[in-house]
Amino acid sequence: MLFAWIVPAAVCLLMHFTAEACSKGNVAANKLPHGVAEICDKGNMTANSASHVQPGTNITLSCQLKQLKYNEQCKIAIFFNSSELIINYGTSVSTKFQVLTYGKHMFTCKIVCEYKKKLICGVDIMSGNPPDQPRNVSCIQYGTDGSPTCTWDKGRLTYINTTYVIQLSDGTDIFCFLEENLSNKFGSLVLSKKLNFDSTYTVVVAASNELGSAFSQPLMFMLIDIVKPHPPRLLVEFENSVTNFSFVWHDEVRAQHCRIRYRPLTGYAWNTVENVNSENFSLYGLEPHTEYEFQVSCKIHPERGLWSNWSTFQTQTPEAVPTGLLDVWYKMQDVDSQTQNISLFWKALSKSEAKGRILQYTVTFEALNRGGPKAEVTTQTSYTRTTAKLDYRITVTADNSRGSSPPAVIITDLGIGDLPPPQKVSALPMGNGSIFVSWKPPKKFTASINGYIVEWMDTHRKKSLAPPPTWVKLVASNLSTVISEHIKDNVCYDISVFALYQDRAGRVASVRGYSREKAPSAGPQIYTTPQTNGVLVSWEDIPSHQQMGCITAYNIYLRKKDSEGAPAVYAISNATSQREFYITNLQRGENYILWMTASTAAGESPWGNRELVCLESAVDWLIVVLTCSFFVFSVCVCSMRPARKVLYSLLSATMPQWHDKAIPDPANATWARSYAAVKGELSVPSSLFLRDTSSFEEPETIEVEEGFTKTDSQIFHEKLIFGKVHGRENHDWQSESSFGKQESEYKALPSTTDGDSYEHQLPYLYRRMAEVTEQMQPAPEYLANPISDRAAGYLPAGILAPATDTAAEQQELECSPISVFPTTFLPPVFSYGGKLNLDTVRLNGSSFTR
């Protein structure tokens, strides 16, 4: 059979090569039977091989010059791709060469005269492979009215020009088609021949080049086997039910056998319907409000032929009434004695349960035994309402454009104290963001339990309603679960388990848990407050991101400041609520250093801050108390007049002896007696001794300050008051007028630029002082200052002891709280000690005469 097809193919190839040979004309006539040769004007060049060889072939190259005379110094040489192979003197040269690579090899013969080269002749040798047998021959026709296209695998590369011809035979005629696609790997050719459905065709692919030829295995087919129909035009129509669909498509007349497949756009698996023999089909039971992809493919014969490509149509099914039941949970919080906050939380329905886009949620509150439900609408998945403290039946539904879901019912019960919690709740870490929670059923009322609620929340957000807690509802037969939603490693969670008694939640059983934890990365911040018998230690929670799990215990370390021994440790196991600890039995006056750590199950934290603590000794406290008591008592006593009198009497009786020592009277000073004896002489006009310069001796220079003269005729209006209290000679002295008034009643003395007029007034000043002294009452026997060595320099006593009113003095002593103390404790009015001299006396020169 194969031989029968090789002969016609060889005929086609012969025709092809004959045409090619004719087109080349003289080139083929010049070829030698056993090699290739080129005849040129200046010489000839030959090779003992064909023009096309396979790699590894050895060839002999020769070059012969014609009878022309050249310079005896010229040589003849053969070159390969500009590389010199051989060179000799003479008129001919020959060499051998082995072909190792694919492609074109160019050999030339040249005359070399000194540095010049002249081309004589040359030959080209091509290196390649003979064609492999064409494989995997197939033919296909797109649509019933198209032309067939055949493809094949060429095999290895030939590196030289290779021709592929397809021979098509219908049993009577043979048609040859030359390949136009020059791809090196695969061959493809469109047969320009109209085929019919009744004939059987045979196809052979022939490949040939200068090194050989090859033929494919014959391919026999009918047109019905190779025709691939065009994809049908598809349309999807919805029926009355939202889950029923009709498919309508239009295809070529002969394509009557189809198949359908469809899937949700979010899925990967196809649902396939085979053997559909009409151009319409209905599907049932699709999910509402879901995007689907529908595809249809057809072929001409149910058992033979090719399927068309899939035609695709995408659409979304209509909505339906929601079927899912909302998972609702709630929290109750008292506002006052009459009202409460009820916070509801629910999980959104899954897409398959919602059957469409949820537009809103309807929440209904109905007070038990009161009637009159109140409905509210929200678009959120939580709802909070302040209501009176009653029991309520609460329903929540999800609404879309087609209707509402079945109501989820919650019954709040203020008397849940009778509904016991689950027993032995435990939480085991599982790592990777998950915790295993287990429990035992309550001891009572187990028959009425219809489920459990497991709720968990980050411990640091426990008191906040935002975000809402995370929970899962389980059937009554489940006594354990693995929670992983919103669970993070190194975070502590409060896990609560409730038993549901006919939709009523009983009391809670709680435990703390974690997925994975480490030792805290920081210690607590502590504060110390010293007290009578010890120190009160308080602390703050470690920041949540540094706790690294659930804190199980605290340790307080206490050590004396200068001690090198181990510190005392106070363990606190109640780590969830306790925030202070009282340490007793500390020594007073001793310095202590105190610090604190926190622990998880994974280990202990570093130290927190360190505090230095010292309790005051009892002696120090006694001094402080007595000092404060004394001052308080003194203030109270001094504020009462009878008490002041008694205290003054006591202080006077206990006064030291030097307080009663007599102080010399300045009136008895030598200066005062001399002044009385020469009183008459001082009244002599000053001109008698001041103007006589013949016997005048330069007096001692006296510095006189500028003073102020009083406008009133009386000089020294201020009086020093001396008096006796209860017959005792204890004296106080004070000025009747303030310094502020003095400054307003005096004017400046004449300056020293007035010359003699100022000096002549000095004696009269002393005379006036003496007159004033005689008019005053007798001075007391002593002054307050006990210094006696300055008595000789005192001024007359009348200047320092003016007359005072005894009654006024007694009244002043009684009114002044300060007067109860002896005068020795008071600073003197004058700041000149016990002596007055001219350095500290201001002189008034208004009464001096010239």
Side-chain angles (χ1 to χ4, degrees):
M1 185 66 183
L2 177 61
F3 178 78
W5 288 106
I6 291 177
V7 173
V11 173
C12 291
L13 288 173
L14 179 61
M15 294 172 59
H16 168 69
F17 290 136
T18 302
E20 182 182 7
C22 294
S23 65
K24 290 187 177 180
N26 294 332
V27 175
N30 292 332
K31 287 185 179 180
L32 296 179
H34 297 292
V36 60
E38 290 289 342
I39 301 174
C40 303
D41 295 337
K42 298 179 181 180
N44 301 326
M45 189 170 182
T46 62
N48 66 343
S49 67
S51 60
H52 292 77
V53 298
Q54 297 185 41
T57 302
N58 292 317
I59 60 177
T60 300
L61 301 169
S62 300
C63 182
Q64 180 69 43
L65 297 178
K66 291 185 177 180
Q67 296 300 322
L68 296 176
K69 293 184 178 180
Y70 289 93
N71 191 338
E72 294 181 355
Q73 300 298 325
C74 294
K75 299 178 180 181
I76 185 171
I78 296 177
F79 292 86
F80 166 63
N81 293 341
S82 301
S83 297
E84 184 181 287
L85 296 179
I86 188 171
I87 185 170
N88 282 323
Y89 290 101
T91 59
S92 65
V93 67
S94 179
T95 187
K96 292 184 178 181
F97 181 82
Q98 185 179 20
V99 177
L100 298 177
T101 59
Y102 290 102
K104 183 178 180 180
H105 295 69
M106 185 173 65
F107 300 96
T108 58
C109 178
K110 295 180 181 181
I111 291 292
V112 180
C113 299
E114 295 182 352
Y115 300 104
K116 295 182 180 180
K117 299 177 182 179
K118 295 181 180 180
L119 178 64
I120 301 299
C121 199
V123 294
D124 293 337
I125 304 297
M126 300 296 297
S127 175
N129 296 319
D132 287 341
Q133 181 185 22
R135 300 178 182 277
N136 301 324
V137 180
S138 64
C139 296
I140 187 173
Q141 178 176 315
Y142 293 97
T144 56
D145 297 330
S147 298
T149 300
C150 296
T151 60
W152 63 93
D153 184 1
K154 293 181 178 181
R156 65 177 177 172
L157 296 177
T158 61
Y159 296 100
I160 58 177
N161 186 25
T162 303
T163 302
Y164 291 88
V165 176
I166 292 180
Q167 177 193 7
L168 175 64
S169 173
D170 60 358
T172 304
D173 300 322
I174 297 176
F175 306 94
C176 294
F177 304 93
L178 183 64
E179 181 200 23
E180 298 177 357
N181 183 13
L182 299 180
S183 171
N184 293 325
K185 192 68 176 174
F186 300 98
S188 178
L189 180 62
V190 177
L191 308 182
S192 56
K193 172 66 178 177
K194 179 69 174 177
L195 306 183
N196 59 67
F197 283 94
D198 298 329
S199 301
T200 301
Y201 297 92
T202 303
V203 169
V204 174
V205 179
S208 63
N209 59 22
E210 295 288 346
L211 298 177
S213 60
F215 301 91
S216 70
Q217 294 290 335
L219 173 66
M220 301 181 65
F221 61 87
M222 295 184 67
L223 183 59
I224 195 172
D225 296 325
I226 67 171
V227 170
K228 185 175 184 178
H230 295 294
R233 298 184 300 275
L234 177 63
L235 179 65
V236 179
E237 298 177 349
F238 300 107
E239 298 181 359
N240 294 332
S241 174
V242 296
T243 60
N244 299 339
F245 300 89
S246 295
F247 294 85
V248 180
W249 60 90
H250 304 282
D251 196 6
E252 295 173 295
V253 177
R254 291 181 175 270
Q256 298 295 324
H257 304 278
C258 302
R259 58 183 179 178
I260 300 172
R261 66 179 184 179
Y262 61 95
R263 66 176 179 180
L265 286 182
T266 57
Y268 297 96
W270 290 94
N271 300 301
T272 305
V273 180
E274 302 283 355
N275 301 322
V276 180
N277 298 321
S278 62
E279 292 187 346
N280 58 74
F281 186 79
S282 296
L283 284 178
Y284 304 96
L286 299 181
E287 292 293 332
H289 194 66
T290 303
E291 290 186 350
Y292 278 91
E293 180 181 9
F294 304 93
Q295 293 183 347
V296 176
S297 175
C298 299
K299 66 178 183 176
I300 295 176
H301 193 276
E303 296 179 357
R304 299 176 61 180
L306 303 176
W307 287 100
S308 70
N309 291 333
W310 293 99
S311 60
T312 302
F313 186 87
Q314 293 182 358
T315 187
Q316 186 180 55
T317 57
E319 293 186 352
V321 177
T323 58
L325 186 67
L326 289 172
D327 186 1
V328 183
W329 187 230
Y330 69 98
K331 291 287 186 181
M332 299 173 61
Q333 214 170 25
D334 290 341
V335 177
D336 52 37
S337 60
Q338 300 297 325
T339 57
Q340 61 182 348
N341 271 341
I342 300 180
S343 298
L344 300 172
F345 312 96
W346 56 87
K347 298 179 181 179
L349 295 175
S350 64
K351 192 172 184 179
S352 61
E353 295 174 330
K355 307 296 183 183
R357 187 170 69 90
I358 300 300
L359 303 176
Q360 63 184 22
Y361 298 94
T362 302
V363 183
T364 303
F365 280 75
E366 181 180 0
L368 298 181
N369 304 323
R370 294 291 183 94
K374 296 181 180 180
E376 298 287 345
V377 173
T378 180
T379 59
Q380 307 299 321
T381 56
S382 61
Y383 180 79
T384 300
R385 183 173 177 179
T386 303
T387 63
K389 273 194 173 181
L390 300 172
D391 293 334
Y392 290 91
R393 182 181 184 271
I394 304 173
T395 62
V396 184
T397 61
D399 309 327
N400 65 9
S401 61
R402 291 299 186 101
S404 301
S405 67
V409 180
I410 289 291
I411 298 177
T412 64
D413 193 349
L414 298 177
I416 62 172
D418 298 333
L419 303 178
Q423 303 294 315
K424 299 181 179 179
V425 178
S426 63
L428 299 178
M430 299 185 64
N432 298 324
S434 58
I435 305 173
F436 177 76
V437 183
S438 62
W439 61 92
K440 298 294 182 182
K443 294 182 179 180
K444 299 186 299 182
F445 309 114
T446 56
S448 60
I449 295 177
N450 63 345
Y452 293 95
I453 291 287
V454 180
E455 173 192 285
W456 62 96
M457 184 181 294
D458 186 343
T459 55
H460 299 285
R461 309 177 78 169
K462 183 177 180 180
K463 297 181 180 179
S464 174
L465 296 179
T470 308
W471 75 95
V472 62
K473 183 179 291 185
L474 304 171
V475 297
S477 59
N478 281 359
L479 297 178
S480 65
T481 185
V482 176
I483 58 175
S484 58
E485 185 179 359
H486 303 311
I487 297 294
K488 300 178 182 178
D489 290 342
N490 303 322
V491 176
C492 187
Y493 294 90
D494 282 324
I495 303 172
S496 303
V497 182
F498 303 82
L500 298 178
Y501 297 86
Q502 302 300 325
D503 298 327
R504 297 189 182 191
R507 288 179 300 175
V508 63
S510 299
V511 68
R512 294 198 304 168
Y514 54 89
S515 171
R516 183 182 286 116
E517 69 174 358
K518 302 177 182 178
S521 60
Q525 180 75 24
I526 62 172
Y527 306 94
T528 56
T529 305
Q531 296 186 357
T532 304
N533 297 323
V535 60
L536 180 64
V537 182
S538 59
W539 59 91
E540 296 178 352
D541 284 335
I542 301 174
S544 58
H545 66 279
Q546 295 179 327
Q547 291 190 10
M548 311 305 291
C550 296
I551 302 297
T552 57
Y554 292 102
N555 289 327
I556 298 177
Y557 294 87
L558 182 70
R559 184 180 64 191
K560 292 183 179 181
K561 181 179 179 181
D562 299 328
S563 174
E564 297 296 334
V569 181
Y570 299 88
I572 302 171
S573 58
N574 184 13
T576 57
S577 60
Q578 187 174 352
R579 289 298 176 269
E580 60 181 25
F581 185 79
Y582 189 69
I583 300 177
T584 59
N585 300 325
L586 300 183
Q587 298 179 8
R588 294 187 176 276
E590 187 71 39
N591 291 324
Y592 292 90
I593 298 177
L594 185 145
W595 66 91
M596 191 173 186
T597 62
S599 299
T600 65
E604 188 175 13
S605 72
W607 295 354
N609 63 309
R610 304 179 69 177
E611 289 286 324
L612 181 63
V613 179
C614 180
L615 298 183
E616 297 290 343
S617 62
V619 176
D620 296 336
W621 280 103
L622 181 60
I623 294 174
V624 173
V625 171
L626 292 178
T627 303
C628 295
S629 301
F630 173 75
F631 279 105
V632 171
F633 176 75
S634 301
V635 172
C636 295
V637 169
C638 294
S639 63
M640 297 180 292
R641 182 180 299 176
R644 286 202 305 269
K645 293 180 179 180
V646 174
L647 182 60
Y648 183 80
S649 301
L650 293 175
L651 292 175
S652 300
T654 58
M655 196 59 62
Q657 301 248 341
W658 55 264
H659 180 268
D660 292 333
K661 184 177 179 180
I663 298 177
D665 188 355
N668 298 326
T670 305
W671 177 86
R673 291 195 296 269
S674 301
Y675 172 75
V678 298
K679 180 178 180 181
E681 298 179 3
L682 289 177
S683 61
V684 179
S686 60
S687 59
L688 296 179
F689 56 92
L690 291 177
R691 294 180 181 272
D692 187 6
T693 59
S694 60
S695 60
F696 181 75
E697 295 181 359
E698 182 68 16
E700 183 180 356
T701 303
I702 300 174
E703 294 181 4
V704 180
E705 295 182 6
E706 181 180 2
F708 295 87
T709 60
K710 210 171 189 182
T711 56
D712 198 332
S713 59
Q714 183 180 357
I715 306 173
F716 300 107
H717 180 67
E718 288 78 14
K719 301 177 181 180
L720 299 177
I721 304 172
F722 294 84
K724 297 180 180 180
V725 180
H726 297 289
R728 300 182 60 88
E729 295 181 353
N730 294 321
H731 309 290
D732 293 335
W733 51 327
Q734 54 187 338
S735 174
E736 289 183 350
S737 62
S738 65
F739 291 101
K741 293 181 180 179
Q742 293 175 12
E743 292 179 1
S744 63
E745 295 177 355
Y746 288 92
K747 56 188 177 178
L749 291 171
S751 64
T752 56
T753 57
D754 294 340
D756 297 337
S757 61
Y758 181 72
E759 297 177 358
H760 287 272
Q761 294 177 6
L762 290 176
Y764 187 72
L765 172 63
Y766 287 100
R767 184 167 60 251
R768 291 294 303 273
M769 292 172 62
E771 292 174 358
V772 172
T773 304
E774 291 178 349
Q775 296 174 2
M776 292 181 179
Q777 296 179 359
E781 297 179 0
Y782 56 87
L783 294 175
N785 197 323
I787 301 176
S788 58
D789 57 351
R790 299 183 183 180
Y794 283 159
L795 293 177
I799 300 177
L800 299 176
T804 58
D805 189 284
T806 305
E809 174 191 357
Q810 180 69 21
Q811 182 179 0
E812 184 67 18
L813 288 174
E814 294 177 354
C815 294
S816 176
I818 302 177
S819 63
V820 300
F821 296 98
T823 57
T824 54
F825 293 99
L826 298 177
V829 176
F830 298 105
S831 60
Y832 311 119
K835 182 177 180 180
L836 290 178
N837 50 41
L838 293 181
D839 291 340
T840 57
V841 175
R842 296 180 183 271
L843 303 181
N844 185 353
S846 62
S847 59
F848 280 59
T849 59
R850 304 288 294 180

